[in-house]
Amino acid sequence: MTDTVAGEATETAGEQFVIELLDRAVAAMGGQSRTGQHDMARQVARAIESGNHLLVQAGTGTGKSLAYLIPLIAHALESNKPALVSTATLALQTQIVGRDLPRLLKAITPALDRPVKVALVKGRSNYVCRHKLEGGFPSEEPAEGQLFSLGEDTSVPHVAAAVGGPASQLGREVVRLRKWAEKTATGDRDELLPGVTDRAWRQVSVTSMECLGAQKCPLAEECFSELARQDAAEADVVVTNHAMLAVSAFEGLAVLPEYDVVVVDEAHELQDRVTGAVSGQLSVAMVHAAASSARKHTAITVDALNAAAANLELALAGVPAGLLPNGLNDEQLDCVDQLREACRAALSDSKGDSSITADGGRQLARSRLMVILELCERLLAARENREVVWFSRASSFDTAQGYSQPDEGAPALINIAPLSVAARLREGLFADHTVVLTSATLAIGSAFEPAAGGLGLVGDGAPSWTGVDVGSPFDYPRQGILYVAGHLPKPGRGASPESLAELESLIRASGGGALCLFSSRRAAEEAAEALRPKLGVTVLCQGDSTMTALVKQFADEPDTCLFGTMSLWQGVDVPGGSCRLVVIDRIPFPRPDDPLMTARSRAVAQAGGNGFMAVSATHAAIRLAQGAGRLIRSTGDKGVVAVLDPRLATERYAGFLRGALPPFWATTDRKVAVAALERLAKERN
């Protein structure tokens, strides 16, 4: 059930209190009252009071953080359970905890009955392990491609380890980590500045499966992760990430405190982040690493494990990368079954003396075996549970072709992911909680159904929900132009000479100040290399420095350009004249060989729907809107969004995609776009 009209019901006492707090906060922060922000706050308060799920699209500049935090706080003060906020990105999580909530609470606390307690919850591997620091775990590195995380936010890349680098660098980092661990109050990795490599961090942290647990760990009372969870249990508002939310919903584990209301910010990312959190990968190298660890730390016989690994390697020899529509074949399933039984036996043999308080090496070994056992059981039941299975290989860059492709000489990896997370989210998240989902790009046109369907809110047995678009304070038709270069050739692999020439002319007209978003890292690098000698402005490219440093330089230097890929398509907030031109090289469809997207498209088609529109086009529409949303970030911003893909003007699905974009004034006339950019450049001078 949807309703796209905001603020039409009689205002309750709870809503009135929320609006009073909002007005107080906005005034104290020196901001400006906005209709959309008030509408959103009312809708969130109404949803919490009624228990009805809410999807709310709040355009850039609405001030949605305050609009949902205040109703959450008001509810938490009356409830005996904390309220949750879940984000997709570390950047927003940090912004809410480090900036938004402190400023808000300073403004409204005098009007509250008591102070509000806030807690931050992350996956266990984000915290220093005191027992590991004391030598309670052996120092060993996981095999390449081996994932033993549970609820960790793997969406944020950390500084890559310098493989083969001098040991002294690792040693210096570990020494610095140890000194920091003696002083830190939280043990949270993100508080360590400057950061350290993943390789160094692994020397002082454990994953959830490697952890000895509160019953056995001798330092459990001092554990940073346990202390964070205790704080969360006593908090009013708990901030976490989508990965932790997924583990709680899918696995039923007590990784989060018991809650009744959750706001999911950056909700357009929820389906993908949840899918990523519950996907798995099995390799022969993982089995050998687990066998080696079990032999070293538990002294059991691992002949059965090594034999199963050898048989699996033979069964995977020469298999092509790609989707397996019918799952593994009989020979491969037999090998996985053999591996499952070997893991079961190894786990039974490696239990050890239960009276031993702590044995970090044994726990490390057993955690590796448990991960493999769970993957085997999932693979054997994949068809029954409607999970998608595919083979992949590590990629290498083909200099002749100019793009990355699977290395056919690399060992095959078996991947598994749920075809849909809708049913599990419906059962684990929506059934027992009130959920508010919000984003600047949650609806396509006025339709919330595409987003709702992927999350389990459409279909037989789906819970009721309301969809509201509170708009944006920006006057998009007057502030921005959408220019689609309909005369260009359809994009192929790599940038065409025509698209590079178009890009050059647009940047020249604007005098720089361009954020250029590309579908691949190689495309961004090629364009930067080709245009740097021709343009009289600085061209930064993703990879030249850290993303934080690049965005800061782009924001500080009004005529500088920044070229990059998907990590720049969302989250970059550069108001003012430094970003007056946003260029998108092509419609961001998923790769045609993406196994999971292919499987989902086929499933929709088999059910009688349009797989392309339901999966690929919807995916592209949301990301296109995110990219275009980088242009107008304040009421004084002006500029042009230029899409160098003619399909946005010529194909039948073009209207669907444009329906997700802000309502810019649209044109396919190159002269109009160039003239507008030239006027902006003159106004700046």
Side-chain angles (χ1 to χ4, degrees):
M1 180 179 67
T2 63
D3 172 15
T4 57
V5 180
E8 60 182 16
T10 303
E11 192 171 74
T12 66
E15 292 171 41
Q16 290 173 359
F17 179 60
V18 163
I19 296 304
E20 289 171 6
L21 289 179
L22 177 58
D23 289 339
R24 182 187 185 112
V26 170
M29 295 179 189
Q32 186 176 6
S33 180
R34 296 164 182 162
T35 301
Q37 191 177 46
H38 280 76
D39 287 343
M40 179 173 175
R42 288 190 182 93
Q43 291 290 336
V44 174
R46 193 172 300 166
I48 293 173
E49 288 182 3
S50 67
N52 193 41
H53 303 306
L54 173 67
L55 279 71
V56 54
Q57 178 162 280
T60 305
T62 303
K64 61 184 172 66
S65 295
L66 293 186
Y68 67 67
L69 285 172
I70 289 176
L72 272 188
I73 290 170
H75 170 73
L77 292 176
E78 296 180 355
S79 173
N80 60 355
K81 296 179 181 179
L84 244 61
V85 177
S86 178
T87 74
T89 62
L90 181 63
L92 182 56
Q93 193 178 63
T94 302
Q95 174 188 312
I96 291 171
V97 174
R99 190 190 74 181
D100 294 348
L101 273 169
R103 293 175 62 203
L104 171 60
L105 292 177
K106 182 179 179 181
I108 68 172
T109 296
L112 303 178
D113 293 336
R114 61 176 174 83
V116 175
K117 185 176 180 181
V118 177
L120 177 64
V121 174
K122 301 180 181 180
R124 194 172 294 273
S125 69
N126 290 280
Y127 301 94
V128 166
C129 172
R130 290 189 184 275
H131 188 45
K132 195 165 188 176
L133 279 175
E134 297 296 327
F137 286 80
S139 177
E140 61 177 34
E141 302 236 349
E144 183 179 356
Q146 188 172 355
L147 299 178
F148 298 110
S149 62
L150 186 63
E152 281 73 37
D153 187 358
T154 57
S155 64
V156 183
H158 297 292
V159 182
V163 178
S168 60
Q169 177 188 353
L170 176 62
R172 286 193 298 270
E173 288 187 322
V174 173
V175 167
R176 185 160 66 87
L177 276 168
R178 288 181 175 277
K179 290 180 179 179
W180 170 74
E182 294 174 358
K183 299 181 295 183
T184 177
T186 67
D188 186 341
R189 177 177 182 173
D190 292 314
E191 291 187 6
L192 177 65
L193 297 173
V196 296
T197 60
D198 286 347
R199 187 181 177 198
W201 185 254
R202 282 197 295 266
Q203 309 306 308
V204 299
S205 66
V206 296
T207 65
S208 297
M209 295 200 71
E210 294 167 344
C211 176
L212 292 168
Q215 300 300 317
K216 289 187 176 182
C217 181
L219 298 177
E221 292 184 1
E222 305 171 46
C223 173
F224 288 120
S225 180
E226 290 298 320
L227 291 173
R229 279 158 176 72
Q230 290 173 21
D231 285 344
E234 300 170 0
D236 299 299
V237 177
V238 176
V239 182
T240 188
N241 59 58
H242 293 355
M244 293 290 285
L245 198 65
V247 171
S248 177
F250 274 64
E251 308 298 336
L253 300 178
V255 294
L256 295 172
E258 188 176 349
Y259 64 95
D260 56 356
V261 176
V262 57
V263 171
V264 180
D265 204 340
E266 301 176 308
H268 64 280
E269 289 279 347
L270 182 61
Q271 182 181 10
D272 287 346
R273 297 302 173 103
V274 168
T275 300
V278 296
S279 297
Q281 189 177 79
L282 177 65
S283 70
V284 173
M286 283 176 63
V287 183
H288 284 310
S292 176
S293 183
R295 184 180 63 250
K296 178 180 179 182
H297 299 301
T298 70
I300 66 171
T301 300
V302 294
D303 293 345
L305 279 170
N306 285 326
N311 289 337
L312 182 62
E313 186 171 20
L314 288 174
L316 298 180
V319 296
L323 175 67
L324 303 176
N326 299 313
L328 299 174
N329 64 31
D330 290 342
E331 178 189 2
Q332 293 158 353
L333 286 172
D334 287 343
C335 291
V336 171
D337 189 32
Q338 179 189 0
L339 177 58
R340 176 178 64 173
E341 296 308 311
C343 280
R344 283 177 173 168
L347 283 167
S348 178
D349 294 343
S350 63
K351 285 182 179 178
D353 187 350
S354 60
S355 65
I356 297 176
T357 302
D359 185 346
R362 187 181 301 275
Q363 183 67 19
L364 284 171
R366 286 176 57 80
S367 71
R368 285 152 171 73
L369 292 170
M370 285 188 284
V371 168
I372 294 172
L373 175 61
E374 290 176 3
L375 285 169
C376 289
E377 291 179 338
R378 284 181 67 182
L379 288 166
L380 291 169
R383 194 175 304 177
E384 176 185 350
N385 294 334
R386 299 194 74 204
E387 294 214 80
V388 181
V389 180
W390 71 95
F391 293 136
S392 65
R393 285 188 171 82
S395 297
S396 60
F397 188 75
D398 187 327
T399 54
Q401 297 295 326
Y403 58 91
S404 294
Q405 59 182 6
D407 181 356
E408 296 301 328
L413 307 172
I414 310 174
N415 303 270
I416 185 166
L419 176 65
S420 170
V421 296
R424 297 293 296 274
L425 281 175
R426 182 188 297 183
E427 178 183 347
L429 180 63
F430 293 103
D432 299 318
H433 312 97
T434 300
V435 184
V436 175
L437 302 117
T438 184
S439 168
T441 53
L442 200 54
I444 299 176
S446 59
F448 288 88
E449 282 76 11
L455 298 174
L457 293 174
V458 174
D460 294 339
S464 62
W465 56 278
T466 299
V468 176
D469 186 345
V470 298
S472 169
F474 303 148
D475 188 349
Y476 283 109
R478 291 182 179 274
Q479 290 184 251
I481 293 175
L482 172 64
Y483 164 57
V484 180
H487 62 283
L488 293 179
K490 289 183 180 180
R493 195 179 294 278
S496 68
E498 294 89 346
S499 64
L500 287 175
E502 187 80 5
L503 179 57
E504 180 185 353
S505 67
L506 291 170
I507 294 176
R508 285 189 182 280
S510 68
L515 176 65
C516 301
L517 307 173
F518 295 86
S519 55
S520 72
R521 179 76 166 265
R522 182 59 179 174
E525 292 171 347
E526 283 182 348
E529 183 180 352
L531 295 184
R532 275 171 175 153
K534 299 180 179 181
L535 297 171
V537 296
T538 301
V539 175
L540 306 174
C541 188
Q542 187 175 341
D544 292 346
S545 182
T546 65
M547 192 60 67
T548 301
L550 290 172
V551 173
K552 185 178 186 305
Q553 184 177 349
F554 175 61
D556 291 345
E557 300 173 0
D559 295 336
T560 289
C561 300
L562 177 56
F563 290 20
T565 57
M566 189 56 69
S567 54
L568 291 175
W569 284 64
Q570 56 185 359
V572 175
D573 187 7
V574 181
S578 291
C579 185
R580 50 193 181 273
L581 170 62
V582 171
V583 181
I584 297 173
D585 73 331
R586 67 176 67 201
I587 298 170
F589 288 119
R591 287 173 58 101
D593 58 352
D594 183 308
L596 189 54
M597 291 294 189
T598 300
R600 287 176 172 171
S601 294
R602 290 179 179 179
V604 172
Q606 289 169 1
N610 186 319
F612 169 77
M613 294 301 295
V615 179
S616 295
T618 296
H619 176 278
I622 297 299
R623 279 147 188 79
L624 194 64
Q626 282 286 321
R630 299 312 96 201
L631 181 67
I632 306 299
R633 311 298 297 179
S634 70
T635 54
D637 288 352
K638 294 180 180 179
V640 173
V641 172
V643 180
L644 307 185
D645 189 334
R647 293 175 295 178
L648 193 59
T650 60
E651 298 295 335
R652 288 192 298 174
Y653 53 75
F656 175 80
L657 298 180
R658 290 197 302 270
L661 297 177
F664 297 116
W665 188 85
T667 183
T668 57
D669 190 331
R670 180 174 175 274
K671 293 180 180 178
V672 170
V674 168
L677 290 169
E678 288 174 343
R679 284 196 301 273
L680 283 176
K682 289 180 180 178
E683 289 175 8
R684 289 192 60 256
N685 297 327

